[in-house]
Amino acid sequence: MALASTERTDEQRAIIEMVRQFVDEQIIPKAGHYDGADEYPEPIVEQMKELGLFGVTIPEEYGGMGLDLTTYTMIVEELSRGWISISGVVNTHFIGSHLLMKFGTDEQKERLLPRMATGEIRAAFSLSEPELGSDVQAIKTSATRTADGDYEITGQKMWVTNGLMSGLVFVLVKTDRAADPPYKGMTCFICEKEPGAPENPGLIVPPKIRKLGYKGVESTELVFDGYRCPAEMILGGEEAGLGKGFVQMMDALEVGRVNVAARGVGIAQRALELGLKYAQERRTFGKPIAEHQAIQFKLADMATKVEAARLLTLKAARMKDAGERSDLEAGMAKLFASEAGKEVVEDSFRIHGGYGYSKEYEIERLYRDAPLLLIGEGTSEIQRMVIGKKLLQRQKR
């Protein structure tokens, strides 16, 4: 029997309770410090390793928990409720493990997944470049086959979350510049690097990009200059993976969008909690502001948006778990939940009044973090394009 839209299994309840306790005790009290210093939260990441959070969806045979996308989505919501930067550390890693589990060769899986499950090595993935954003087919970074059978990668990548601290980067590059359409000439390489090292042979990681929010976790460029990658590190192997990178990455973005949606739900949930708490503590005109109708209307809209975003996100995750095509639903979830996240945070900010502008209040951090969701994993405008096209395609069928 299918689960109701908000129902959880006993296992899911136990896991979410564990993650929520971790968030309340270890993330929320410390997020302000790491955000203010823009410092990588190494102690929190180490605890996440111990909890097994880097191997949630990796099969048990490789040392992971072997859980489904829906459970992982619930975990991401909880982590984002604490601090979306923490969910960023784990989400890029998750996308890398998804690519490896679905498209990797047996040798690639056996060598990398066990170390990814423990968090010993963490993954990043890279599509964007400085001169392009959502136009993935326009990438210029390229790989050329050398005389000894390796590939040499040259080009510049942008907005790589975990770009410095990752040990693996799944990179989309052009291997056939004459391909028509261009996406058929793209290949995904699994590039290995030294975590935390700004210079690797053929690969430089420039200083992290300074950002409005989403601090603590680094976003970087990656400069490839003759980086040599063995042919066996093409995702899926040279025979099966050459020219298949675009399709592989688009599949990964489908699950990535579900998880950005979960981030939107998490940050909105926290903003709602903060708004409810402050509205009951702050008094004006002789009573708590929660008793003023104007504030109650705000809280009502906020709670409704949180619930709607959560339901859309869980539906997309459950469809993917059931093996159904969920690109339309993932796009809808990402669009609605990211916009709702921004709106609920702003309403909570308004409820806080002048104090919302102070760094002494948590809502100030949320206000800077929320805009990331509107542009990460495809902007809201791109989501609308995807949704519109998929609606028309399904109508024709």
Side-chain angles (χ1 to χ4, degrees):
M1 187 175 71
L3 285 171
S5 55
T6 55
E7 195 176 340
R8 292 173 174 174
T9 64
D10 290 342
E11 183 180 34
Q12 286 171 338
R13 271 193 290 271
I15 290 169
I16 298 311
E17 189 176 319
M18 178 266 290
V19 175
R20 182 169 295 173
Q21 184 179 351
F22 172 63
V23 167
D24 287 340
E25 294 177 2
Q26 302 299 327
I27 297 179
I28 290 176
K30 299 172 183 176
H33 163 75
Y34 289 111
D35 171 81
D38 197 5
E39 179 185 333
Y40 189 74
E42 190 66 50
I44 294 176
V45 173
E46 288 300 316
Q47 288 174 292
M48 289 166 69
K49 288 184 193 177
E50 292 173 17
L51 292 173
L53 294 181
F54 288 100
V56 171
T57 57
I58 294 175
E60 292 180 9
E61 63 188 282
Y62 298 110
M65 294 187 190
L67 301 176
D68 57 15
L69 175 62
T70 303
T71 307
Y72 177 75
T73 300
M74 293 174 180
I75 291 171
V76 170
E77 178 189 331
E78 292 298 330
L79 292 175
S80 302
R81 178 182 152 268
W83 186 24
I84 65 165
S85 294
I86 292 294
S87 67
V89 172
V90 90
N91 195 44
T92 52
H93 181 82
F94 158 77
I95 289 175
S97 62
H98 172 83
L99 284 166
L100 203 50
M101 289 186 297
K102 186 160 185 179
F103 302 109
T105 64
D106 289 341
E107 291 78 12
Q108 289 169 351
K109 293 175 188 176
E110 287 165 11
R111 188 164 79 81
L112 299 174
L113 282 177
R115 289 190 292 155
M116 291 177 74
T118 62
E120 177 192 340
I121 52 170
R122 298 191 294 281
F125 77 106
S126 178
L127 296 132
S128 293
E129 296 184 4
E131 293 180 23
L132 62 99
S134 299
D135 186 9
V136 178
Q137 290 199 71
I139 63 172
K140 296 178 181 177
T141 301
S142 62
T144 307
R145 207 170 198 277
T146 60
D148 58 5
D150 285 350
Y151 282 81
E152 204 167 79
I153 301 175
T154 300
Q156 192 173 357
K157 289 294 185 178
M158 192 74 172
W159 302 115
V160 185
T161 301
N162 284 337
L164 180 65
M165 301 305 292
S166 57
L168 297 175
V169 186
F170 290 77
V171 184
L172 186 65
V173 305
K174 281 192 172 176
T175 44
D176 181 0
R177 293 177 179 167
D180 185 25
Y183 77 84
K184 291 189 175 180
M186 296 183 185
T187 301
C188 179
F189 284 83
I190 309 169
C191 298
E192 297 183 83
K193 55 186 274 298
E194 182 65 33
E199 293 189 20
N200 296 264
L203 172 59
I204 294 173
V205 185
K208 63 185 177 184
I209 301 162
R210 297 174 66 194
K211 300 166 296 190
L212 168 70
Y214 198 42
K215 294 178 182 287
V217 59
E218 80 281 6
S219 303
T220 71
E221 297 174 68
L222 293 179
V223 181
F224 292 90
D225 186 11
Y227 173 89
R228 290 178 73 88
C229 193
E232 59 263 27
M233 292 307 282
I234 289 175
L235 181 62
E238 189 171 24
E239 191 174 329
L242 196 65
K244 299 296 193 300
F246 183 84
V247 174
Q248 293 167 343
M249 283 289 195
M250 290 307 105
D251 182 90
L253 283 182
E254 197 172 301
V255 293
R257 282 171 180 157
V258 173
N259 287 289
V260 171
R263 290 200 225 183
V265 178
I267 200 170
Q269 176 65 42
R270 185 58 182 164
L272 174 61
E273 292 169 9
L274 294 172
L276 283 164
K277 183 173 183 289
Y278 186 81
Q280 293 173 81
E281 294 171 350
R282 174 77 165 129
R283 297 178 68 86
T284 62
F285 306 105
K287 59 184 177 182
I289 63 172
E291 293 182 21
H292 295 297
Q293 194 176 62
I295 300 298
Q296 288 181 6
F297 281 6
K298 266 192 179 10
L299 293 169
D301 287 343
M302 290 160 68
T304 302
K305 287 174 183 175
V306 172
E307 190 65 15
R310 182 177 289 120
L311 291 172
L312 274 170
T313 303
L314 287 173
K315 179 186 178 184
R318 287 190 166 128
M319 285 182 70
K320 187 75 172 176
D321 282 331
E324 299 175 43
R325 189 69 188 268
S326 60
D327 47 3
L328 172 63
E329 289 74 16
M332 286 179 167
K334 197 276 177 186
L335 170 65
F336 187 87
S338 60
E339 293 285 353
K342 182 264 295 181
E343 291 163 8
V344 173
V345 166
E346 183 170 332
D347 278 342
S348 183
F349 174 83
R350 289 170 184 263
I351 288 170
H352 280 74
Y355 288 108
Y357 209 61
S358 166
K359 286 190 177 291
E360 291 181 23
Y361 281 74
E362 191 180 333
I363 192 65
E364 184 270 345
R365 171 170 57 80
L366 271 59
Y367 194 74
R368 287 183 289 103
D369 282 345
L372 167 77
L373 304 174
L374 304 177
I375 52 176
E377 304 280 4
T379 63
S380 290
E381 290 71 26
I382 288 291
Q383 302 312 317
R384 290 185 175 99
M385 287 171 58
V386 169
I387 293 165
K389 287 178 181 177
K390 297 303 176 185
L391 282 171
L392 291 168
Q393 286 173 8
R394 292 192 187 185
Q395 181 65 26
K396 284 178 185 175
R397 287 202 294 271

